[in-house]
Amino acid sequence: MIAEELITDKGVSAGDEWITVAAPRLREALAALKEDGYRLLVFLSCVDHLADSSREWPARFELLYELRDMEKLRDLRVRAFVDGDPPQIDSVHDLFPPANWDERETYDMFGVVFNGHPELTRILMPDDWVGHPLRRDYPVGGEPVEFSEEHETWLTPPTEA
Amino acid sequence: MADAANGGLTVSIEDTTGQGVTITQSGQQGAFGGELLTINFGPHHPSTHGVLRLIVDLDGEKVKRVKPVIGYLHTGIEKQMEALRWQQGVVCTDRHDYLSPPINNLAYALAVERLMGVEVPPRAQALRVIMSELTRLSSHLVWLGTSGIELGAMSVLMYCFRERDTIMDMNEEISGFRMHTSYIRPGGVMADATPRFFDLLAKFLREMPGHIDEYEDLLTMNPIWRARTIGIGRLAPEVAKVVGASGPMIRGSGIAWDLRKVMPYSGYENYDFEVATNDGCDCYARYLVRIQEMRESVKILAQAVDRLPDGPVNVDDRKMLPPPREELETSMEAVIHHFKLFTEGYSVPPGDVYVAVESGRGENGCYISSDGTHKPRRVKFRSASFVNLQALERMALDHMVADLVAIIGTADTVLGDVDR
């Protein structure tokens, strides 16, 4: 059973139960929940709350861990809020194997660093990509489209390129 | 490149990708004293279902390590959806798992509806079930045809695509589009089904059980098919649970886990069907599960058509869906609603929700976080292919490289769904 002092906040959103835990103690909380029967990590992701005025947010990045108990058929969403540059949190890849690629994706898209991950590299974007595309301050259409008329290589004559 | 100094036998590939691709030859000895050979499998290999790239370490022909490299089909759908209004996002959901668009639509529509506290009418729910099951059939047909071709059974593809084309015709009839239907939308469905759709569906339901028998005649007792799939790619039940496998991958390991049964949505609890499972845990078991699922889908479709309720197919909410065309000419209010919807769209109350549906590949979920504006703050697709692909190495270890093709095939990953 998860200790009460780990939970800083809890509630129900559109029928989904959720709890918030302090980011430094996330691993401890998830390990306790795994003991409690939530043995499957359905997905792990992040929400960027930059300039989100819908309510007060404790930090910019909200990490989400959707856990499932396949015996008792219940889901639980665990939230943890992190800030900083880069934002950091402990990896849970050894507790939940599916977290391995999810953490790489979250690193790739949001730049959240998962401490203890065996191979924290980009997974969807090219390895030499600059920036983290799903952050809210990363513009849509910000990069030139290759092989299009606007692309700079078209503006340079082949002799000078 | 071959290293001429060592007699041209050592193969060394530089680690230019920066992905931690360690290709070490020295110190790793194979069973027969030879060195491990690292090969690049894909991304343009015809058996990789799109653009999957695998880095495979081989000892002779035995697979010793598999490292999938993905992202070649990343299209930024989740980013794109943050820039689109709620009703516009539907077209993006069609395109990530491009073999089952209506099921993706359904996950997104259910998530938006749950955030808004909206319940769609019964006829819309039944039409959603019909479209989901047709999609499951067409997705399994593509899987069966392509897997057959990869293992040398060329003619199966012709049979499967014949039936898939009739499903595409039905898609066209009901939504005007053969593949990316965008038929299921928040608040209901695009339009009611036409009488011709039901004619096509009735003919399809009459013929389909016979066609499934045909596929089974071609494959189930086929000695080559059995030799290539039985005992290949074992995924033990306890491993399948731990790695988060879903869909035919977990049911082929003997676990009766089907979201339509365990967490019913869209009225699936009212239909009488069996969850197809098989204890074989191998590629052949996953094949049998999919064949059985196609039969169950036909059963669900027949029941859905039989008791299709009458009534509207959309919620009666002018703030969410546009008014009928004829009202625009007589009602000022209708014009205002129409204008508001197509310029600003509607807002969804703040909060977040996760809805999972069972697609042909497993649990395809949609997580939405709303900040109360007319565009989503974050949309995340939990795709079955992405999670199932992580189990590839566990299944492929110590098999021959040719069996790897069978294992990728029966994992049934859609790379658009993996990379989103």
Side-chain angles (χ1 to χ4, degrees):
Chain A
M1 198 61 208
I2 180 167
E4 278 299 317
E5 81 258 16
L6 287 176
I7 304 173
T8 57
D9 196 6
K10 61 176 162 184
V12 177
S13 167
D16 293 356
E17 252 184 83
W18 58 268
I19 60 170
T20 304
V21 299
R25 303 187 70 181
L26 177 89
R27 252 189 85 86
E28 198 184 323
L30 288 190
L33 285 166
K34 191 180 173 186
E35 287 298 304
D36 204 23
Y38 293 98
R39 305 192 68 80
L40 175 67
L41 178 76
V42 183
F43 73 88
L44 179 170
S45 194
C46 181
V47 183
D48 182 357
H49 289 295
L50 180 73
D52 183 354
S53 55
S54 61
R55 70 178 182 89
E56 283 290 317
W57 297 97
R60 178 174 165 187
F61 295 102
E62 176 189 357
L63 286 159
L64 302 152
Y65 298 78
E66 180 86 17
L67 302 178
R68 177 172 295 158
D69 184 344
M70 284 171 81
E71 266 79 49
K72 294 187 188 149
L73 298 181
R74 51 187 183 156
D75 275 19
L76 180 69
R77 193 172 306 138
V78 180
R79 304 172 197 273
F81 289 89
V82 286
D83 242 332
D85 189 29
Q88 298 196 15
I89 198 154
D90 288 335
S91 169
V92 293
H93 75 277
D94 46 346
L95 291 174
F96 300 101
N100 190 322
W101 280 18
D102 275 341
E103 285 179 353
R104 281 177 66 190
E105 188 189 325
T106 308
Y107 162 73
D108 192 358
M109 293 295 158
F110 290 93
V112 178
V113 172
F114 291 88
N115 297 323
H117 192 283
E119 190 195 358
L120 197 65
T121 51
R122 289 194 183 269
I123 185 166
L124 295 180
M125 302 303 285
D127 299 313
D128 54 355
W129 197 260
V130 179
H132 299 286
L134 276 177
R135 287 190 174 191
R136 294 293 283 202
D137 49 6
Y138 189 98
V140 176
E143 69 284 344
V145 179
E146 283 180 56
F147 311 117
S148 70
E149 303 226 336
E150 289 79 37
H151 197 252
E152 56 179 339
T153 52
W154 284 89
L155 304 176
T156 331
T159 47
E160 295 163 32
Chain B
M1 63 189 170
D3 189 350
N6 289 342
L9 287 173
T10 317
V11 176
S12 73
I13 301 161
E14 282 140 34
D15 183 8
T16 51
T17 58
Q19 296 213 336
V21 184
T22 44
I23 297 162
T24 42
Q25 302 299 323
S26 53
Q28 287 198 40
Q29 295 266 309
F32 303 105
E35 286 180 337
L36 292 191
L37 178 69
T38 305
I39 62 161
N40 201 27
F41 190 96
H44 299 302
H45 194 279
S47 83
T48 53
H49 288 244
V51 284
L52 173 64
R53 177 180 163 212
L54 302 172
I55 298 169
V56 191
D57 280 2
L58 296 179
D59 174 16
E61 270 204 58
K62 275 220 163 91
V63 174
K64 286 295 169 194
R65 196 187 69 136
V66 184
K67 185 187 152 61
V69 180
I70 61 171
Y72 290 92
L73 212 53
H74 177 61
T75 46
I77 281 177
E78 290 170 3
K79 182 76 176 172
Q80 192 65 40
M81 287 185 78
E82 289 172 14
L84 295 175
R85 295 194 294 271
W86 292 99
Q87 71 268 48
Q88 293 175 321
V90 177
V91 294
C92 281
T93 62
D94 279 334
R95 282 156 176 79
H96 69 96
D97 180 356
Y98 44 75
L99 290 183
S100 50
I103 298 182
N104 306 334
N105 295 165
L106 182 58
Y108 176 73
L110 286 173
V112 175
E113 283 157 12
R114 262 195 35 207
L115 273 175
M116 296 186 76
V118 170
E119 182 88 13
V120 297
R123 189 177 172 87
Q125 287 201 352
L127 283 171
R128 285 173 170 193
V129 168
I130 290 176
M131 285 307 278
S132 297
E133 292 310 312
L134 279 176
T135 311
R136 195 181 318 281
L137 279 166
S138 98
S139 157
H140 282 353
L141 285 171
V142 174
W143 167 80
L144 186 61
T146 53
S147 288
I149 232 168
E150 283 159 16
L151 299 184
M154 303 289 280
S155 46
V156 189
L157 183 86
M158 311 298 164
Y159 288 90
C160 292
F161 271 60
R162 180 187 61 192
E163 272 71 68
R164 181 170 186 260
D165 212 59
T166 60
I167 298 177
M168 295 284 120
D169 287 343
M170 278 184 259
N171 280 351
E172 190 178 355
E173 178 62 30
I174 202 168
S175 73
F177 215 137
R178 288 172 75 81
M179 261 189 92
H180 302 302
T181 54
S182 294
Y183 179 68
I184 298 170
R185 297 172 179 191
V189 296
M190 189 196 89
D192 205 344
T194 57
R196 180 162 173 264
F197 172 81
F198 290 113
D199 293 346
L200 288 170
L201 184 57
K203 182 163 176 288
F204 176 79
L205 289 180
R206 267 200 313 279
E207 292 171 354
M208 193 60 195
H211 290 317
I212 299 174
D213 292 342
E214 258 177 10
Y215 315 143
E216 284 222 81
D217 283 348
L218 284 167
L219 292 176
T220 303
M221 294 311 283
N222 180 329
I224 302 174
W225 178 259
R226 288 169 69 97
R228 293 296 305 273
T229 54
I230 291 180
I232 303 297
R234 277 189 59 83
L235 186 67
E238 55 274 20
V239 177
K241 267 188 182 173
V242 165
V243 299
S246 53
M249 290 273 286
I250 196 167
R251 294 196 284 276
S253 296
I255 300 168
W257 177 265
D258 188 325
L259 292 172
R260 293 174 292 172
K261 276 278 189 222
V262 295
M263 298 176 179
Y265 54 90
S266 207
Y268 266 112
E269 63 273 22
N270 305 325
Y271 298 95
D272 174 33
F273 66 102
E274 302 285 319
V275 177
T277 58
N278 195 295
D279 291 330
C281 306
D282 54 8
C283 290
Y284 190 64
R286 295 193 271 278
Y287 155 75
L288 290 177
V289 162
R290 288 199 175 91
I291 290 282
Q292 187 58 33
E293 265 184 45
M294 298 205 312
R295 295 190 194 279
E296 298 298 328
S297 286
V298 174
K299 258 167 71 182
I300 298 174
L301 278 169
Q303 294 170 36
V305 175
D306 268 357
R307 27 177 151 127
L308 186 69
D310 286 327
V313 294
N314 278 313
V315 290
D316 188 25
D317 183 355
R318 294 282 180 269
K319 303 276 185 233
M320 195 175 173
L321 287 164
R325 178 68 187 82
E326 55 273 14
E327 260 182 49
L328 287 179
E329 283 156 21
T330 53
S331 156
M332 187 63 208
E333 203 158 335
V335 176
I336 294 169
H337 280 143
H338 187 273
F339 179 75
K340 283 281 276 183
L341 269 176
F342 286 96
T343 51
E344 189 191 322
Y346 51 83
S347 306
V348 169
D352 62 349
V353 70
Y354 174 70
V355 174
V357 298
E358 185 79 24
S359 87
R361 267 156 284 287
E363 176 174 350
N364 263 22
C366 182
Y367 169 82
I368 295 181
S369 173
S370 166
D371 51 9
T373 59
H374 60 290
K375 288 175 183 172
R377 172 141 294 254
R378 171 96 168 95
V379 181
K380 149 96 187 159
F381 294 110
R382 188 270 189 202
S383 65
S385 308
F386 184 79
V387 182
N388 288 352
L389 195 58
Q390 287 189 68
L392 189 65
E393 178 158 20
R394 292 170 196 255
M395 290 191 290
L397 223 56
D398 285 329
H399 280 301
M400 297 291 174
V401 71
D403 295 334
L404 187 57
V405 173
I407 296 166
I408 300 168
T410 50
D412 193 19
T413 51
V414 165
L415 266 291
D417 196 23
V418 174
D419 296 343
R420 300 180 298 282

